[in-house]
Amino acid sequence: MSRTNTAPARPPAATGGGANRWVVLVVLCVSLLVVALDATILHVAIPSLTEDLRPSSTALLWIVDAYPLICASLLILFGTLGDRVGRRRILLLGYALFGIASAVAALATEPSVLIGARVLLGVGGAMIMPATLSILRAVFPDRRERATAIGVWTAVAAIGAATGPVLGGFLVEHYWWGSVFLINIPLMALILPLGRRLLPESRGTADGPWDVLGALMAAAGVLGCVLGVKRAGAGDPILALPTAGPLLLGAALLVLFVRRQKRRTHPLIDMRLFSRAAFTTSVGCIVLAMLALVGLQLIAVQYLQLVLGLSPLETGLRLLPLTFAAMAAGATGSYTLRRIGPRRMVGWGFVLTAAAVLLLTFMGQHDRPLLLTVGFVLLGFGLQTTLFSAYESMLSEAPQRSAGAAASIGETSYQLGAGMGTALLGSVMNAAYAPGLAAVPGVPAEAGRAAANSLGEAYQVAEQLGGAAGGALHQAARHAFVDGLHITLFVSAGLLLLGAVMARRLPRVMECPVDVEEAVEAVSAEDFEPDESRGSDEHHGAGEPRGPHESGEGCGPVRRSRPTEAPERSGLAEPSEPRVPATREAIEPAGSGRPAH
């Protein structure tokens, strides 16, 4: 019987369990590192960029947000396309586009050119990100090995995000702001031939045509929703046409997309994935974690530079404890997940992150290095713990044939949360900051309104005013920014605690499900294939299991028994017995609705 839910040419590492899969992991992690660096490396360059290009406040928001928003809107398109035409092919095209866009961004002399380059970087990132995660899903079919690989993968993402400000600070101090993009070019020139040589091709199901219209609807819907939220975060009235229009249009397109996918025989995304509590909850936890963190990170960078007066390099160094804590959480994540299970790991990760955020409310107008270090350590460890377990649970709930779609959903939720976090927490910050500059003694009303746009602009206005009025405006802006930062931290902590409550829907223990389609077909193959056919694989002897968790390594031996009734082809049929923890035998469809042990 032929397999219908795996790639026609599964890479040897995926089936043979050989060492090549770890080499593939290294290449995928380097790919992710470049994308993660680009998401945060620009943050410390914003003051220098603002001074050079003089963008408006709206243009500055677009410069920061264009990359994550475009990337988020196109992840489903490229993730599902990779399932059809090959994930490696999409990944290599993403490398090339990312390098070209980086060159354009580095040499930009106008805000509009830089925004356009950031859009192209978003397209390239949308090609790269889901492909790395779906290839990882294909080459690590065993859940415990995959948990270790995802721990490394998420740690690299955290390293890239946290190292970005350090590297960016060094480059801005010694060169110019465009150098933060220029470093992508040699990295892409290295990874493109390396990926072409080492990465295996991986595909999902090839049944039916690719739904081009559905992919475009999803892209436009996500973009419309995030654009509306972004405008609201910039201070536009929620009922104004520029804000409400994109929101309503985006929501309508997403509703139509879901209805279209439910009707199609071969959908881009099997919407039945969202009927699985663990999958849906994991996606929601990723959104909340990023929503609470990313906007806060951007504000924190401004605090370190504009309030404490640290240089870009010093700012990046202050964020290094977060990197090391995230690395520790990623390195121990697989062990922790097996010990305490997804529910406790995600829930306590949220609680720890919320505690770190509340600790940071003790920051004031004067430098407190010890407080910042402890806060960033707790923040990095708690957030990485949450993201690791949420990603692992989400990916393990999806069958291998839908790896690209599942990866795109996870990455869309990550980027969507990041973009919405910048808008939401930015709007909270602006709402708390602006009133403090409404009536500064000696400052004209027009100057006060200009200073209310941002702390950096307030400093510029204060310098132009000079004298007592300038000094009063400078001091008032610092006070207003710190007060706004405290309010934003409380809102962020509330979102994180909401995530801890949501995590209660995750399974108590780490289960090792088997895709029922592959399991049944593996049993059928053993019964009906000739012995020499079964023994042809050098990694399998006669009678050894050939399912997705082939040796059961880390999940206990796979008990093979012929079911009395063939399950539904969707892989979502109710199993005949509950799923079991990783230490017991099981052969189960992923995502059964049974209660966790």
Side-chain angles (χ1 to χ4, degrees), residues 375-447:
F376 286 152
V377 167
L378 295 178
L379 186 68
F381 193 90
L383 184 77
Q384 183 65 17
T385 297
T386 299
L387 287 177
F388 162 78
S389 188
Y391 264 111
E392 199 282 334
S393 297
M394 179 206 70
L395 204 58
S396 294
E397 284 294 312
Q400 196 276 335
R401 69 179 183 276
S402 302
S408 65
I409 292 171
E411 292 300 330
T412 299
S413 63
Y414 184 100
Q415 293 292 337
L416 191 63
M420 292 177 64
T422 302
L424 176 62
L425 296 185
S427 64
V428 171
M429 182 69 192
N430 290 337
Y433 165 76
L437 302 177
V440 181
V443 177
E446 184 178 351

Side-chain angles (χ1 to χ4, degrees), residues 167-478:
L167 183 58
F170 174 82
L171 292 172
V172 170
E173 280 197 2
H174 291 82
Y175 302 98
W176 90 110
W177 62 263
S179 60
V180 302
F181 298 108
L182 205 60
I183 62 166
N184 292 337
I185 298 175
L187 290 174
M188 286 301 164
L190 172 66
I191 198 67
L192 182 59
L194 195 62
R196 184 176 181 182
R197 178 179 179 85
L198 296 178
L199 291 178
E201 186 55 280
S202 170
R203 292 183 178 88
T205 178
D207 294 338
W210 185 58
D211 185 9
V212 179
L213 178 59
L216 294 177
M217 288 172 62
V222 172
L223 182 60
C225 288
V226 178
L227 179 59
V229 172
K230 177 184 170 311
R231 287 187 177 277
D236 293 351
I238 190 67
L239 297 180
L241 183 61
T243 303
L247 271 175
L248 294 176
L249 180 60
L253 286 172
L254 289 178
V255 170
L256 292 175
F257 170 75
V258 171
R259 295 181 62 182
R260 178 181 176 84
Q261 298 309 298
K262 288 181 176 180
R263 292 197 307 266
R264 288 183 65 86
T265 306
H266 304 289
L268 285 176
I269 296 176
D270 190 345
M271 290 299 162
R272 289 170 295 186
L273 285 172
F274 289 96
S275 66
R276 307 178 182 190
F279 184 89
T280 306
T281 303
S282 297
V283 170
C285 288
I286 293 170
V287 172
L288 272 178
M290 296 312 300
L291 192 148
L293 179 80
V294 171
L296 177 62
Q297 184 180 24
L298 182 60
I299 295 169
V301 168
Q302 295 180 49
Y303 168 80
L304 293 173
Q305 290 192 48
L306 298 178
V307 175
L308 299 186
L310 302 181
S311 69
L313 180 58
E314 290 172 331
T315 298
L317 292 174
R318 285 295 183 90
L319 295 173
L320 273 182
L322 189 149
T323 305
F324 296 135
M327 291 172 60
T332 59
S334 179
Y335 172 80
T336 307
L337 183 63
R338 294 195 302 269
R339 295 282 295 178
I340 68 175
R343 180 185 300 181
R344 291 180 180 175
M345 189 168 180
V346 174
W348 284 111
F350 270 123
V351 171
L352 181 60
T353 309
V357 169
L358 291 175
L359 179 65
L360 292 176
T361 59
F362 290 98
M363 295 186 304
Q365 296 190 46
H366 302 288
D367 193 5
R368 303 182 68 179
L370 182 59
L371 172 68
L372 288 176
T373 300
V374 173
F376 286 152
V377 167
L378 295 178
L379 186 68
F381 193 90
L383 184 77
Q384 183 65 17
T385 297
T386 299
L387 287 177
F388 162 78
S389 188
Y391 264 111
E392 199 282 334
S393 297
M394 179 206 70
L395 204 58
S396 294
E397 284 294 312
Q400 196 276 335
R401 69 179 183 276
S402 302
S408 65
I409 292 171
E411 292 300 330
T412 299
S413 63
Y414 184 100
Q415 293 292 337
L416 191 63
M420 292 177 64
T422 302
L424 176 62
L425 296 185
S427 64
V428 171
M429 182 69 192
N430 290 337
Y433 165 76
L437 302 177
V440 181
V443 177
E446 184 178 351
R449 286 193 295 270
N453 290 329
S454 68
L455 183 59
E457 192 165 346
Y459 284 173
Q460 293 177 4
V461 173
E463 185 177 354
Q464 291 171 2
L465 288 175
L473 179 61
H474 188 281
Q475 188 64 22
R478 282 168 56 92

Side-chain angles (χ1 to χ4, degrees), residues 436-568:
L437 302 177
V440 181
V443 177
E446 184 178 351
R449 286 193 295 270
N453 290 329
S454 68
L455 183 59
E457 192 165 346
Y459 284 173
Q460 293 177 4
V461 173
E463 185 177 354
Q464 291 171 2
L465 288 175
L473 179 61
H474 188 281
Q475 188 64 22
R478 282 168 56 92
H479 276 291
F481 186 89
V482 173
D483 291 342
L485 176 60
H486 290 166
I487 294 174
T488 305
L489 288 170
F490 281 116
V491 172
S492 179
L495 293 171
L496 292 164
L497 292 176
L498 178 62
V501 174
M502 182 187 296
R504 292 179 62 84
R505 299 183 69 231
L506 290 171
R508 289 180 182 273
V509 295
M510 178 183 176
E511 299 159 344
C512 290
V514 175
D515 190 321
V516 75
E517 293 184 3
E518 292 193 3
V520 171
E521 290 185 3
V523 173
S524 302
E526 285 202 31
D527 287 347
F528 298 111
E529 288 181 3
D531 289 343
E532 58 268 25
S533 173
R534 291 199 304 266
S536 61
D537 192 330
E538 64 179 357
H539 297 285
H540 292 82
E544 289 183 336
R546 299 174 61 90
H549 300 277
E550 298 175 271
S551 66
E553 179 184 351
C555 293
V558 178
R559 185 184 64 212
R560 290 169 292 140
S561 61
R562 177 171 298 285
T564 57
E565 234 178 328
E568 293 178 8

Side-chain angles (χ1 to χ4, degrees), residues 60-75:
L60 182 60
L61 279 175
W62 273 109
I63 289 172
V64 175
D65 291 345
Y67 173 78
L69 297 188
I70 295 300
C71 187
S73 65
L74 297 178
L75 284 166

Side-chain angles (χ1 to χ4, degrees), residues 35 38-39 62-76 78 94 97-102 105 114-130 181 184 415:
V35 177
D38 204 73
W62 273 109
I63 289 172
V64 175
D65 291 345
Y67 173 78
L69 297 188
I70 295 300
C71 187
S73 65
L74 297 178
L75 284 166
I76 292 176
F78 287 118
L97 181 59
F98 207 85
I100 293 171
S102 297
L114 182 55
I115 292 171
R118 292 282 284 173
V119 168
L120 290 179
L121 283 168
V123 177
M127 292 180 167
I128 294 171
M129 295 180 72
F181 298 108
N184 292 337
Q415 293 292 337

